[in-house]
Amino acid sequence: MVSQPSSASQTVPTSASPLATWLSYLEQIHSSEIDMGLERTAKVAEQLAVLRPARYVITVGGTNGKGSTVTYLEQMLKAAGYRTGVYSSPHLYRYAERVRIDGALLDDSQHSEAFAAVQAARADTSLTYFEFGTLAALWLFQQQALDVVILEVGLGGRLDAVNVVDADVAVVTSIGIDHIGFLGDNRESIGREKAGIFRAGRAAICGDPEPPISLLKQAQDLNCDWRQVGKDFSYQQQSSSWHYHSQAIQLPQLPMPQLPLANAATAIAALEALPLAVSAQAIAQGLSHARLAGRLQLLAATENRPDCLLDVAHNPHAATFLADYLKQYYPQRRFYAVVGMLADKDIEGTLAALHKPLAAQLQQWFFASLSQPRGASAAQLQSAYQQLASDTPATIHDGVEQALTTAQQLALRDATRAAERGEHDKPLVLVFGSFYTVGQVLAQQGAVD
């Protein structure tokens, strides 16, 4: 079904309009925030002639791990001397984060120019905010002589706007339960949607060691070049390095990356499937340089702030990984948890995934209301938490800023008291639950570039 434009009269921005004006316009022109389907996007993409934005295209989907996999690919290709374009979402703080060319953000004026090009091409075709942004990114890539464009799926895969472009290499990082209202409530249904980015006869990389049958079947039906972690490629961590193995190559003594190791291995497998030379040195260099704001990001303590660990984990699968990370790297640290989530997420499951393995270290929950249209209230978070029958204290706060300030004050107080007793225990403030939550903290703490 093709949705019609909003009936409200809109003043159309121009290529010279500020980016903020364009973003406000995009938020109002379509009848819904999410409108799954490719018909509208494909029609405009053909008009713009952006369906082949680079020599090669890698599309990255999955429940969790997409962002880090994209960043690994970008950094390794960059180290190998290739020109890259990246499209990812959502952004943490400002829209320009969604598009990178050769690792750099673009000026706001370039985004305005791209939006104007899409506006001219779409005529009376209604587009969502995400669809409009996807087409603008493809237009920006088309203006450059890029070797590889890396597209991150926004939601699902089969009907996501980035899927109008045929990927040379399709990557599915993991399959977990998320976006139930759009993708289904089980891994088979979700896997079927994620597999929609596969293309006949082309490479399909799977970073999930136990993929659903639906994902495997789609790859088989399309005769894809299927490569699965644990079978076609593998990795092994040692004390301060790790090894990557596949049927074609062995890479010993790779540097330990800051982002999840499993996604690093998946990214290397994707590079293997491209007909581009990437040396072991470039791979090692890319691994060392890969960073991603809001993913396992530590804001080091200052005189007025304790250590703060930020992570955008917003579903049980991601929260489980976060809990394992805390157990491994902060096994003795006490921590205070600041949480803000969207109401359509599995709130109880996400809180349980973190609480159960870390109950002994967790000192207090600080539940924050999110002001976004889909944001959960602090009371909703507390209600879900009460189902866990936990005796860990919890407080509710009107917003993320208030919750964070309170948590930091308590952590600093505890650190002072510990020092007075001759102890060196310094509590950690953990912030997670949503891109919106982490983005607000980065802005509040002055940690945004």
Side-chain angles (χ1 to χ4, degrees):
M1 181 180 73
V2 177
S3 298
Q4 298 301 313
S6 169
S7 59
S9 177
Q10 301 291 332
T11 300
V12 180
T14 69
S15 60
S17 298
L19 178 57
T21 301
W22 270 107
L23 297 180
S24 177
Y25 174 72
L26 300 188
E27 290 171 349
Q28 301 174 57
I29 60 172
H30 195 73
S31 57
S32 60
E33 179 183 2
I34 300 174
D35 191 356
M36 304 295 283
L38 299 181
E39 179 183 350
R40 288 168 285 108
T41 309
K43 178 181 178 181
V44 182
E46 290 178 3
Q47 183 67 26
L48 284 168
V50 295
L51 290 174
R52 196 64 192 168
R55 289 170 58 199
Y56 301 103
V57 174
I58 305 174
T59 299
V60 180
T63 303
N64 295 299
K66 297 188 296 291
S68 55
T69 302
V70 167
T71 299
Y72 283 130
L73 286 166
E74 177 187 32
Q75 290 297 326
M76 290 187 288
L77 286 164
K78 181 181 176 183
Y82 297 109
R83 298 204 65 209
T84 61
V86 167
Y87 176 59
S88 63
S89 65
H91 58 274
L92 280 171
Y93 185 65
R94 56 191 176 120
Y95 184 87
E97 298 167 27
R98 296 186 178 217
V99 179
R100 296 191 297 273
I101 291 179
D102 288 335
L105 303 184
L106 303 179
D107 293 336
D108 286 357
S109 60
Q110 293 173 277
H111 290 281
S112 292
E113 184 182 1
F115 286 143
V118 175
Q119 176 69 21
R122 78 180 181 93
D124 61 351
T125 301
S126 183
L127 297 169
T128 67
Y129 181 104
F130 181 76
E131 290 166 344
F132 214 111
T134 300
L135 289 163
L138 295 176
W139 186 87
L140 287 165
F141 296 147
Q142 192 75 55
Q143 312 310 304
Q144 307 287 326
L146 300 178
D147 296 303
V148 183
V149 158
I150 308 162
L151 303 174
E152 179 184 341
V153 171
L155 195 161
R158 182 174 63 92
L159 299 177
D160 189 84
V162 303
N163 202 34
V164 297
V165 177
D166 292 331
D168 298 285
V169 179
V171 179
V172 174
T173 57
S174 64
I175 302 293
I177 307 299
D178 201 3
H179 300 295
I180 292 174
F182 295 97
L183 307 180
D185 61 359
N186 59 83
R187 293 182 80 241
E188 290 299 329
S189 174
I190 293 171
R192 193 172 298 110
E193 293 296 322
K194 304 289 187 188
I197 64 175
F198 295 165
R199 294 297 189 268
R202 299 186 182 179
I205 312 300
C206 179
D208 193 317
E210 298 180 355
I213 295 173
S214 59
L215 197 74
L216 289 163
K217 184 176 186 304
Q218 179 73 351
Q220 292 170 352
D221 289 347
L222 293 174
N223 193 30
C224 291
D225 178 8
W226 175 259
R227 306 185 190 191
Q228 179 183 332
V229 67
K231 293 186 176 180
D232 303 291
F233 66 94
S234 62
Y235 62 97
Q236 182 178 12
Q237 181 178 348
Q238 304 209 333
S239 57
S240 58
S241 64
W242 65 288
H243 296 181
Y244 173 87
H245 304 272
S246 71
Q247 296 175 355
I249 64 172
Q250 294 191 21
L251 299 171
Q253 301 296 316
L254 291 171
M256 288 298 299
Q258 183 186 50
L259 299 172
L261 182 57
N263 300 327
T266 302
I268 294 174
L271 288 184
E272 279 197 83
L274 280 179
L276 294 175
V278 181
S279 68
Q281 180 181 359
I283 288 173
Q285 183 178 333
L287 292 170
S288 298
H289 291 171
R291 301 287 187 275
L292 201 56
R295 274 77 158 191
L296 303 176
Q297 181 179 357
L298 181 67
L299 301 182
T302 65
E303 183 179 351
N304 300 313
R305 180 184 72 198
D307 285 335
C308 291
L309 183 70
L310 313 180
D311 195 82
V312 296
H314 54 270
N315 55 47
H317 185 271
T320 297
F321 178 87
L322 177 58
D324 290 341
Y325 180 88
L326 287 165
K327 293 290 286 186
Q328 180 178 356
Y329 292 100
Y330 302 95
Q332 305 301 324
R333 293 283 289 272
R334 294 179 297 132
F335 65 92
Y336 295 91
V338 175
V339 189
M341 296 187 66
L342 297 180
D344 53 7
K345 299 298 180 180
D346 181 358
I347 295 173
E348 182 181 342
T350 302
L351 296 178
L354 194 81
H355 172 77
K356 290 181 179 179
L358 295 167
Q361 295 171 249
L362 181 57
Q363 303 300 297
Q364 185 170 332
W365 292 96
F366 300 82
F367 296 127
S369 296
L370 289 184
S371 59
Q372 282 70 25
R374 295 159 54 208
S377 69
Q380 287 176 288
L381 298 179
Q382 186 180 53
S383 177
Y385 170 66
Q386 289 171 346
Q387 303 304 311
L388 303 181
S390 167
D391 58 1
T392 302
T395 54
I396 61 175
H397 303 269
D398 290 337
V400 173
E401 181 175 354
Q402 183 189 93
L404 178 66
T405 298
T406 306
Q408 289 179 328
Q409 288 172 346
L410 289 178
L412 287 172
R413 181 203 65 185
D414 286 359
T416 299
R417 291 177 177 177
E420 290 172 350
R421 296 191 299 267
E423 301 171 358
H424 299 287
D425 181 21
K426 293 184 178 181
L428 175 77
V429 173
L430 171 69
V431 181
F432 76 100
S434 170
F435 280 83
Y436 296 109
T437 306
V438 171
Q440 288 184 47
V441 170
L442 286 172
Q444 181 184 343
Q445 301 296 302
V448 180
D449 292 334

